[in-house]
Amino acid sequence: MAIMEGAVRSGKTVLNNVLFYSTVRGNTGRGLHYIITGHTLGSIKRNVLDSIAEQFGVNTTVGTTGTFDLWGNHIHCFGADKADSYKAITGMTAHGWYGNEVTLQHENSIRECFNRCSGEDARIWWDTNPSYPQHPVKTDYIDKSGERLSNGRLRIQSWHFSLGDNPYLPAEYVENLKANTPQGMWYERAINGAWVAAEGLVYALFDREIHVVEPFTPPADWKRVRAIDFGYTNPFVCLWGAVDYDGRLYIYDEHYKAGALIEEHAQEIHKRGAVSWTVADHDAQERAELNAKGVPTTAAIKEVSLGLQRVAERLVVQPDGYPRLFVSGNCVNLLREFGQYVWEPVKDGRAVKEEPHKEHDHAMDGVKYMVATLDKGRGGVSDVGAAELGL
Ligand SMILES: Nc1ncnc2c1ncn2[C@@H]1O[C@H](COP(=O)(O)OP(=O)(O)O)[C@@H](O)[C@H]1O
Ligand SMILES: [Mg+2]
């Protein structure tokens, strides 16, 4: 089992692509089964299949079942991010498994893939960016690098990558990547390749001096959007955002109220003018009620860690001295939550799901939904800032 772990864009995936491909090629015509897992089928295509096709001039187009043939062997691809994803993998005997970005995959899928790799001399290749230090990928595998089987053969070998290990990245790209990565936990992991914990304030970067502007009415030709987080006992939140010509987002108004019915919220929302789109939390009943009151919504992108990272990236001050997210001073609840939103503390060093503490998170969810939709298509977790740089 070979594990490539460390900084983003450091060459981990490119190396595993070569190792995987040469193994399949070396077994030409044997009809063996190989598994490729990734966060989603889309990320497998982006990170692995397209790159193999380009580098080796082979066809890696997957059929509807996520399968294709390569050199007379069968390759099965699975997005492994959900608790029940593993069900698609059960039953087969595999001679190899390539896990791309394994910390983003569900533990059930990881367990099932190990069970599948019962073919003789089966090989496993993993790559991953760092996560929290108690992550099972770190404690159960990376930390056991060098361990041998009873017959003396090496069981696990892991390699650590830093950004400097990849000489193919243009210096300007590396400089931009560093400048666009939020300082603190995200920077330690993505750039330095360190397995550090998420602690304290989620948006430690948020600074009233930098991110707060005087209340204002956005010019009529800026795009206006809304994001809604439902609540009755907890507050119902609606945030209004306006996007300027440089793509900078100004959250200029909020409606934040507990204990009221949808009808009242809808009236309040109508008072504040028209928008291009509204994203909302997924509650079907409440979205239907809002729709009936003339506030149609789109279901928000709910991927937590990606959403948090997108917001943090917008808080980073750009070379011109300004961030890409501003909050207007009248949004008092939103501003308060920015100062109270913390990561769930790690208890007794025990591995926990890495998420913010579920308190003071109502307006925070709204910001996350708004930014996730605005910044959709800017690539996956390992591509921090890559898309807008054209890479
Ligand atoms: N050996 C190599 N030869 C040429 N280019 C490389 C090589 N290794 C990495 N690269 C370049 O660096 C980029 C990032 O590598 P990748 O393996 O995707 O990083 P990681 O998986 O560590 O995030 C690739 O898209 C490719 O352009
Ligand atoms: Mg990669």
Side-chain angles (χ1 to χ4, degrees):
M1 175 173 188
I3 309 174
M4 316 296 158
E5 54 93 10
V8 296
R9 312 299 288 173
S10 56
K12 308 181 298 291
T13 303
V14 166
L15 183 56
N16 269 349
N17 287 350
V18 174
L19 294 174
F20 173 76
Y21 178 82
S22 50
T23 301
V24 175
R25 175 96 211 241
N27 285 294
T28 295
R30 293 185 60 199
L32 304 181
H33 297 274
Y34 291 89
I35 300 170
I36 305 180
T37 57
H39 185 217
T40 61
L41 205 50
S43 68
I44 296 175
K45 198 173 164 321
R46 233 179 7 254
N47 295 334
V48 179
L49 304 181
D50 290 354
S51 159
I52 288 179
E54 191 184 311
Q55 194 172 354
F56 301 103
V58 290
N59 187 359
T60 58
T61 312
V62 288
T64 46
T65 55
T67 299
F68 67 101
D69 284 354
L70 184 62
W71 294 109
N73 295 300
H74 312 294
I75 319 293
H76 308 268
C77 305
F78 303 99
D81 60 332
K82 304 214 169 61
D84 61 353
S85 304
Y86 76 94
K87 290 184 179 152
I89 323 171
T90 48
M92 89 180 57
T93 298
H95 280 75
W97 164 32
Y98 178 174
N100 175 238
E101 300 189 332
V102 276
T103 51
L104 304 181
Q105 298 176 26
H106 200 277
E107 58 188 85
N108 293 357
S109 300
I110 291 185
R111 200 173 317 115
E112 188 61 26
C113 287
F114 275 118
N115 292 341
R116 291 304 107 225
C117 285
S118 54
E120 203 187 335
D121 201 24
R123 277 155 206 261
I124 296 171
W125 307 267
W126 278 6
D127 68 60
T128 188
N129 298 336
S131 177
Y132 53 93
Q134 306 82 12
H135 196 289
V137 164
K138 173 81 162 56
T139 55
D140 296 351
Y141 301 98
I142 293 171
D143 288 349
K144 298 194 171 155
S145 175
E147 236 177 52
R148 290 180 183 275
L149 298 166
S150 54
N151 65 9
R153 280 185 66 188
L154 203 54
R155 186 172 83 89
I156 303 180
Q157 177 72 54
S158 102
W159 287 269
H160 182 74
F161 286 61
S162 64
L163 207 50
D165 291 335
N166 183 351
Y168 298 97
L169 295 176
E172 196 178 323
Y173 171 73
V174 174
E175 197 183 323
N176 269 316
L177 182 61
K178 288 181 176 172
N180 283 307
T181 305
Q183 286 292 332
M185 178 270 282
W186 279 291
Y187 195 94
E188 285 303 315
R189 290 183 187 175
I191 305 299
N192 295 336
W195 292 73
V196 296
E199 286 176 321
L201 283 173
V202 174
Y203 300 123
L205 241 64
F206 190 84
D207 181 341
R208 283 180 183 249
E209 295 291 314
I210 294 170
H211 299 97
V212 178
V213 294
E214 292 285 319
F216 72 113
T217 305
D221 54 352
W222 288 13
K223 177 170 163 174
R224 296 183 188 210
V225 299
R226 285 187 298 235
I228 291 173
D229 188 51
F230 295 112
Y232 181 79
T233 310
N234 285 319
F236 172 107
V237 182
C238 181
L239 301 176
W240 281 260
V243 183
D244 75 8
Y245 295 117
D246 292 328
R248 296 184 204 257
L249 171 64
Y250 294 75
I251 298 180
Y252 65 93
D253 207 354
E254 69 172 14
H255 165 64
Y256 192 101
K257 187 169 186 184
L261 298 175
I262 289 288
E263 174 154 18
E264 186 183 330
H265 298 307
Q267 278 170 9
E268 194 55 45
I269 288 169
H270 281 305
K271 279 187 200 160
R272 307 191 201 181
V275 295
S276 301
W277 49 253
T278 308
V279 283
D281 197 358
H282 285 214
D283 190 292
Q285 171 76 28
E286 292 178 299
R287 286 185 53 216
E289 280 180 44
L290 264 184
N291 191 38
K293 301 286 175 207
V295 184
T297 59
T298 310
I301 301 166
K302 298 259 296 182
E303 210 177 347
V304 178
S305 71
L306 192 64
L308 296 172
Q309 183 175 328
R310 288 290 178 253
V311 174
E313 283 170 17
R314 277 190 170 265
L315 295 175
V316 173
V317 174
Q318 301 297 299
D320 66 1
Y322 298 104
R324 292 191 297 119
L325 171 61
F326 295 98
V327 178
S328 154
N330 52 308
C331 301
V332 291
N333 294 293
L334 173 58
L335 289 173
R336 178 176 49 75
E337 285 193 9
F338 261 114
Q340 293 174 316
Y341 194 45
V342 292
W343 293 103
E344 194 66 65
V346 173
K347 294 175 192 77
D348 316 320
R350 192 167 51 88
V352 287
K353 204 172 170 205
E354 188 174 82
E355 277 192 349
H357 185 56
K358 291 198 187 332
E359 228 185 339
H360 317 300
D361 61 347
H362 317 295
M364 291 294 100
D365 280 342
V367 177
K368 206 166 58 194
Y369 300 155
M370 187 181 283
V371 170
T373 297
L374 281 173
D375 292 351
K376 181 172 66 186
R378 285 180 57 233
V381 178
S382 67
D383 312 327
V384 207
E388 69 268 32
L389 295 163
L391 283 158

